[in-house]
């Protein structure tokens, strides 16, 4: 099976946005007066990274969300049946 290459730009952008957004949201958490026991705003940092990547590379995101391509028998990857 041929593996697709990693898009370094997309990965770097996602990580940068996710870390920065989580930091900013963590700093804003006290100003919102929402208790940390209710929700941590930092958890939305990665979602913002995915959102930006989806806007910049919609085809790539669609490809990832579609899942594995079917094999010759017409079924998807049988990864769960493989022994490690």
């Amino acid at each position: 099976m041929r593996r697709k290459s990693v898009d370094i730009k997309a990965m770097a952008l996602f990580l940068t946005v996710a870390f920065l957004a989580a930091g900013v949201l963590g700093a804003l958490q006290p100003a919102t007066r929402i208790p940390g026991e209710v929700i941590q705003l930092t958890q939305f940092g990665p979602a913002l990274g995915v959102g930006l990547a989806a806007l910049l590379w919609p085809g790539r995101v669609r490809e990832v969300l579609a899942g594995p391509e079917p094999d010759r028998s017409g079924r998807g990857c049988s990864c769960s049946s493989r022994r490690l």
Side-chain angles (χ1 to χ4, degrees), residues 14-15 17-23 25 41-53:
F14 164 76
L15 288 173
V17 170
F19 280 118
L20 290 176
L25 290 170
L41 295 180
T42 56
Q43 69 183 349
F44 296 108
L48 293 172
V50 169
L52 184 60

Side-chain angles (χ1 to χ4, degrees), residues 11-36:
M11 186 171 44
L13 179 81
F14 164 76
L15 288 173
T16 302
V17 170
F19 280 118
L20 290 176
V24 168
L25 290 170
L28 291 175
Q29 177 90 30
T32 64
R33 297 185 180 166
I34 300 172

Side-chain angles (χ1 to χ4, degrees), residues 1-7 60 63 69 77 79 82:
M1 179 188 329
R2 200 172 133 229
R3 296 183 79 171
K4 295 186 179 189
S5 63
V6 175
D7 188 352
R60 181 74 179 209
E63 180 182 314
E69 294 178 9
C77 176
C79 301
R82 277 195 226 160

